[in-house]
Amino acid sequence: MIELDDVTVYYPKAEEPAVSRVNLSLQPGEFVCVLGPSGAGKSTLIRTINALQPVTYGQVLIQGENVDEMSEAQKRAWRSRAGMIFQHFHLIPRLTVQQNVLTGLFGKRRAFLNAAGFFSQREKEKAERVLKKVGLVDMARRRVEALSGGQKQRVGIARALMQEPEVFLGDEPVASLDPGTARSVFGILKDVHDKQQLMSLINVHDVALAKSFATRVIGLVGGEMIYDGPPDKLDSRN
Ligand code: ADP
Ligand code: ADP
């Protein structure tokens, strides 16, 4: 459903491409980890998929639709089907866990309205259901600023789930967490992915995590795809 066809991205004035001639076809059910050092082009690649970064050559197709030819409304509609999970969470610290999760429905403005009781009972019940999936239902009324990093990212996952996404896109979602927490949050991500049969593309720099959880690994170095295959075929040369 997501296809990258010879995708190359040059940033303005850059001499080398950030992403170079990447060909990729992603299917529902796949849990794909993109491995690569800092500067490899992982983040740029994700941004081409969710229509935040136009490509210089080639094309990104979502169910056959070229992302760069979509109208702004179509891009927004596509992003609403793709749950994003960020390294630094992008939560609203002073709001509660439940309120942050509800922002997954309509964006930040509605979350502030929710402080005045604007969300329906049905929406709040939905928030409770997704919080159960990430093991945070007892924290619903806590302010996000009081949570640990791992808990914050579980809120991030729950917020993405509110969108009922078809796709999970993660830009280094566990890079700010200590190794043990990173592994447990990654496990939750994989669990949710499996239960909902999503298609996930997750950037990581930790090879061990990719080996443990990915169904498919993409290796990027200097913008080029140097590996595309099962995690167990990765060796030290990659
Ligand atoms: P990664 O996510 O693997 O760390 P990035 O996609 O962020 O890699 O970066 C790939 C390359 O593009 C790097 O050389 C980086 O410096 C460059 N780059 C990233 N974002 C920008 C930008 N907004 N403008 C110019 N160059 C950028
Ligand atoms: P022209 O339009 O002048 O015939 P092209 O559009 O084929 O030339 O390519 C212009 C430059 O961009 C060339 O250096 C070519 O190698 C490069 N280029 C073209 N397509 C791609 C691509 N998909 N990825 C990377 N570089 C490309």
Side-chain angles (χ1 to χ4, degrees), residues 5-10 17 19-22 56-59:
D5 174 16
D6 215 15
V7 166
T8 296
V9 177
Y10 280 90
V19 169
S20 181
R21 311 206 90 140
V22 168
T56 317
Y57 301 105
Q59 53 185 356

Side-chain angles (χ1 to χ4, degrees), residues 32-221:
V32 183
C33 287
V34 182
L35 271 174
S38 178
K42 304 183 296 296
S43 174
T44 304
L45 195 68
I46 286 226
R47 287 156 42 79
T48 67
I49 293 173
N50 69 0
L52 293 171
Q53 171 62 51
V55 307
T56 317
Y57 301 105
Q59 53 185 356
V60 176
L61 302 171
I62 310 300
Q63 275 154 353
E65 288 265 353
N66 185 337
V67 165
D68 285 345
E69 289 170 2
M70 289 178 182
S71 66
E72 281 311 310
Q74 285 174 309
K75 285 181 185 173
R76 274 197 300 278
W78 157 234
R79 286 190 203 110
S80 77
R81 291 154 53 203
M84 278 293 293
I85 304 153
F86 307 92
Q87 177 175 356
H88 299 294
F89 322 123
H90 288 211
L91 301 170
I92 306 170
R94 310 243 276 173
L95 296 187
T96 67
V97 167
Q98 184 199 51
Q99 287 165 335
N100 270 276
V101 167
L102 284 162
T103 65
L105 282 178
F106 301 113
K108 286 183 183 171
R109 226 183 82 245
R110 280 294 296 268
F112 285 109
L113 293 176
N114 175 53
F118 242 71
F119 282 98
S120 69
Q121 194 54 33
R122 220 180 104 255
E123 289 166 333
K124 288 178 187 166
E125 281 163 11
K126 183 172 174 186
E128 191 172 319
R129 278 200 303 279
V130 301
L131 281 170
K132 260 192 197 128
K133 291 184 181 154
V134 300
L136 277 184
V137 78
D138 296 334
M139 301 256 174
R141 304 206 177 284
R142 292 260 190 108
R143 281 194 192 193
V144 154
E145 63 196 351
L147 303 184
S148 70
Q151 289 167 336
K152 284 180 184 157
Q153 196 56 297
R154 288 194 274 153
V155 177
I157 295 170
R159 176 184 55 190
L161 282 176
M162 283 302 275
Q163 294 170 229
E164 300 180 24
E166 296 157 38
V167 173
F168 260 162
L169 297 174
D171 196 358
E172 300 269 10
V174 300
S176 311
L177 309 176
D178 67 75
T181 307
R183 180 160 283 269
S184 98
V185 170
F186 221 78
I188 290 170
L189 203 55
K190 180 67 191 304
D191 199 43
V192 168
H193 164 99
D194 286 343
K195 285 198 179 114
Q196 322 236 340
Q197 277 300 293
L198 300 175
M199 197 231 79
S200 300
L201 187 76
I202 313 289
N203 293 344
V204 283
H205 60 249
D206 180 346
V207 180
L209 272 185
K211 281 197 167 185
S212 304
F213 293 103
T215 61
R216 175 178 176 189
V217 172
I218 307 290
L220 269 191
V221 174

